[in-house]
Amino acid sequence: MATKSSRSKSPSKSPGTFESLNPATGEVVGVFPLTTKDEVDEAVARAKSAAQRWANLSFRARNIALRDWASILTRDMNEAAELIHRETGKPLSDATLEVALAIEHIGWAGKFAPKVLARQSRPAGLLMFNMQAQVQRVPFGVVGVIGPWNYPIFTPVGSIAYALAAGNAVVFKPSEFTPAIGAFLEESWKRIAPFKDVFTVLTGDSKTGAALTESAVDKISFTGSTRTAKKVAASCAERMIPVVLECGGKDAVLVDRDADIKKAAEMTLWHAMSNAGQSCIGAERVYVHRQVADQFKNEIVARARELQPGFGEGAKYGPATMPAQLKVIKSHIDDAVSKGGTFLLGGKDAIKGGYVEPVILADVPEDSLAVTEETFGPTLVINTVSDMDEAVDLANATSYGLGAAVWSKKNGKRIATLLQCGMVSINSAFSFAAIGAVPFGGVKDSGYGRIHGAEGLLEFTYPRTVVKRRFRIPLEFTTFERSERADKILVRLVRLMHKRKIR
Ligand code: NAD
């Protein structure tokens, strides 16, 4: 189970390149360019010219390109999944699920863009009744997408597909831990691209990412840690360009006394431990009603005992993709136990080589790192509450606000409306991420802006208001020729519409 080599993204033997390594075996998956600032600027300049042509295509033509891309990826699904498996260490079946969901989003974005982004007529109101008012949605031009490694195809495609469908060209910088899948995406796009430079992939590290934010892109869509997001936002502020920030989370699971406990335990375990816990919307904390707490703990621990991390067949999850995270996971476990938390499963020795065995902790004080900070490992804290109001207060008491899950037969919707976060699933886990029609994103330290759904398409356009005078009227207000009579009528109209008796 131990990793053959600790993983690093060190420069390779050829200058100006770096290696992508399999975190389970140390095998070199590929060698990729460390794209320089000048090269980033050149790529963005080429994307600018393509953007104009791409934006001028009809929605139908863009949908055909996206549909064909989805079809090519479907044909090559096994190859993509195999690459993700090797580059991240996650099980092949999880990698396949990831590719399938990315394809679903490409299809949704292309199909619904015409409806969501169609020109809208708006009522002009009584004062401007002679005007025709319209809102158009305009693509920004070139969108720079910066991606993480944990879902190296699903996550960036949530920005890439929606930005493309809205009429933007895209320049994508994948994580330095997963450049191969980034390059694969570009290759597959090129097979169906109507012309060059609509979608470009630039491999590299944080310097390449920073260069992209400083280049002539018109918007950035960033997914990654909150720490990096703040730097990205500051860089975008320098250039006054908008930014979407999809950052980390500390998602809570709330289990009420009327929940289906077996199902809640089964799905919460996957919610917490799949992908070795390296999910932005992974369950990290459970608040369970005291009346069902023992039953829930017994169920989830019994199931967790069966989980085997590894790289081969039968492994339920893989190694930590980024070795530096192991230190964070260890510090959270140690801190939780030193503050009084107890192990229901696993122990301080859970980290073995590059793998972390399942760790379930109970009664962990709320000021522990394992409750307040993103752990990003196969660890779960289960704390007991007296009622769901307490659970809601604790769930909301973090700096993050990405997703949450509620388990209750009767009270799910009521509890969901009280949670300060971007997405909630009731009696299920992760499911919102798989629905093309709903927005994905968070609040507070989890970021701002949205990908997926109609909101995700709108995010990659700006509204342009166009109003047109339909006919002349004797009472025109926006001119030096305005008469006294017009002034009086204006006041009379406003009074008529807005004057009320205030109680
Ligand atoms: P990270 O912040 O270390 O890196 C993310 C990307 O930013 C990488 O491509 C990196 O090269 C680039 N980068 C680094 N410094 C940069 C800079 N100064 N300017 C521009 N780009 C820079 O994050 P990570 O470790 O790759 O990803 C894990 C994090 O991502 C976790 O916190 C996880 O919760 C979060 N995440 C969030 C979502 C979401 O949708 N909310 C989805 C997946 C992952």
Side-chain angles (χ1 to χ4, degrees):
M1 202 174 77
T3 43
K4 277 193 191 155
S5 107
S6 77
R7 192 183 196 207
S8 66
K9 291 289 157 186
S10 53
S12 74
K13 283 162 203 103
S14 353
T17 62
F18 67 105
E19 290 175 342
S20 169
L21 307 180
N22 179 324
T25 62
E27 162 219 9
V28 177
V29 179
V31 179
F32 297 90
L34 273 168
T35 309
T36 63
K37 188 167 171 39
D38 286 348
E39 289 163 342
V40 170
D41 290 340
E42 286 160 21
V44 171
R46 287 194 298 274
K48 283 256 171 185
S49 357
Q52 197 57 52
R53 254 179 102 187
W54 179 247
N56 288 342
L57 292 183
S58 63
F59 278 118
R60 188 167 175 277
R62 286 199 295 265
N63 184 25
I64 289 172
L66 285 162
R67 219 179 50 191
D68 289 352
W69 194 28
S71 174
I72 290 269
L73 286 170
T74 306
R75 192 195 66 191
D76 298 342
M77 197 161 18
N78 292 345
E79 203 186 324
E82 178 66 31
L83 202 52
I84 295 175
H85 170 55
R86 282 167 57 213
E87 228 181 14
T88 65
K90 71 174 72 174
L92 194 56
S93 81
D94 282 357
T96 308
L97 174 64
E98 185 185 335
V99 182
L101 295 183
I103 293 169
E104 169 69 9
H105 279 286
I106 295 172
W108 196 94
K111 184 169 172 200
F112 286 91
K115 189 164 173 235
V116 174
L117 303 176
R119 291 176 180 186
Q120 280 184 18
S121 292
R122 303 277 174 92
L126 197 54
L127 297 185
M128 293 287 153
F129 75 97
N130 64 328
M131 305 298 275
Q132 181 193 58
Q134 199 179 62
V135 179
Q136 307 170 347
R137 301 299 312 195
V138 189
F140 284 97
V142 180
V143 173
V145 175
I146 300 174
W149 47 265
N150 59 338
Y151 291 94
I153 188 165
F154 171 75
T155 294
V157 158
S159 296
I160 295 165
Y162 289 76
L164 288 172
N168 303 278
V170 170
V171 177
F172 169 44
K173 206 296 277 178
S175 165
E176 51 273 48
F177 289 93
T178 51
I181 190 67
F184 177 92
L185 269 182
E186 185 182 47
E187 280 313 307
S188 64
W189 170 265
K190 275 185 182 160
R191 292 200 203 130
I192 54 86
F195 45 86
K196 277 188 357 183
D197 302 321
V198 176
F199 174 49
T200 310
V201 174
L202 303 176
T203 55
D205 56 11
S206 57
K207 284 196 188 119
T208 309
L212 188 58
T213 67
E214 290 156 11
S215 72
V217 289
D218 302 289
K219 178 156 188 164
I220 287 281
S221 186
F222 168 84
T223 309
S225 64
T226 305
R227 191 168 39 83
T228 310
K230 290 179 183 178
K231 294 184 198 165
V232 168
S235 180
C236 291
E238 283 294 322
R239 295 197 45 249
M240 277 294 282
I241 59 164
V243 60
V244 182
L245 301 174
E246 296 285 351
C247 313
K250 190 74 196 173
D251 287 11
V253 176
L254 293 80
V255 184
D256 204 354
R257 61 185 160 178
D258 67 340
D260 175 343
I261 296 298
K262 270 188 188 294
K263 205 62 194 164
E266 174 202 326
M267 287 200 160
T268 302
L269 186 63
W270 190 76
H271 193 177
M273 312 258 167
S274 64
N275 203 23
Q278 304 167 123
S279 304
C280 52
I281 48 168
E284 299 219 348
R285 310 173 280 154
V286 172
Y287 295 110
V288 58
H289 195 289
R290 65 181 150 78
Q291 286 180 16
V292 290
D294 286 345
Q295 194 193 345
F296 179 81
K297 286 178 193 169
N298 292 339
E299 276 290 338
I300 198 164
V301 169
R303 288 170 184 277
R305 277 190 209 290
E306 307 297 316
L307 290 188
Q308 265 306 318
F311 187 62
E313 257 181 56
K316 296 293 184 197
Y317 62 81
T321 306
M322 189 176 69
Q325 198 62 27
L326 294 168
K327 250 168 92 179
V328 175
I329 298 169
K330 181 163 172 30
S331 72
H332 286 198
I333 295 172
D334 290 350
D335 178 65
V337 175
S338 75
K339 288 198 167 114
T342 53
F343 287 109
L344 295 179
L345 182 70
K348 285 190 165 195
D349 60 350
I351 298 174
K352 307 234 161 72
Y355 292 88
V356 185
E357 289 178 343
V359 173
I360 301 186
L361 289 150
D363 307 321
V364 178
E366 291 293 318
D367 63 349
S368 310
L369 293 173
V371 176
T372 59
E373 301 284 318
E374 186 179 51
T375 308
F376 232 50
T379 64
L380 185 64
V381 167
I382 304 180
N383 283 348
T384 304
V385 291
S386 309
D387 54 36
M388 284 299 108
D389 288 341
E390 185 186 356
V392 166
D393 287 346
L394 294 173
N396 288 340
T398 80
S399 58
Y400 291 106
L402 193 54
V406 177
W407 289 88
S408 170
K409 286 188 187 126
K410 288 202 197 111
N411 305 318
K413 284 198 177 155
R414 183 189 76 81
I415 297 168
T417 56
L418 300 172
L419 292 168
Q420 294 164 3
C421 61
M423 301 151 292
V424 187
S425 60
I426 300 171
N427 300 335
S428 69
F430 271 11
S431 32
F432 44 75
I435 301 174
V438 297
F440 186 103
V443 294
K444 305 197 272 185
D445 278 0
S446 295
Y448 45 78
R450 290 294 181 268
I451 57 171
H452 300 177
E455 290 78 359
L457 286 165
L458 293 169
E459 186 73 57
F460 294 106
T461 60
Y462 63 88
R464 178 166 57 209
T465 295
V466 178
V467 296
K468 183 180 165 194
R469 194 171 68 167
R470 288 185 297 160
F471 50 85
R472 282 178 67 102
I473 50 169
L475 295 170
E476 285 190 305
F477 301 122
T478 57
T479 165
F480 287 117
E481 308 299 314
R482 195 173 61 229
S483 65
E484 250 181 62
R485 187 168 156 256
D487 280 349
K488 280 186 186 147
I489 290 179
L490 174 70
V491 170
R492 211 174 299 154
L493 281 176
V494 171
R495 279 196 183 131
L496 199 69
M497 289 187 293
H498 300 290
K499 200 167 172 204
R500 302 263 182 287
K501 266 197 184 155
I502 312 280
R503 267 172 272 167

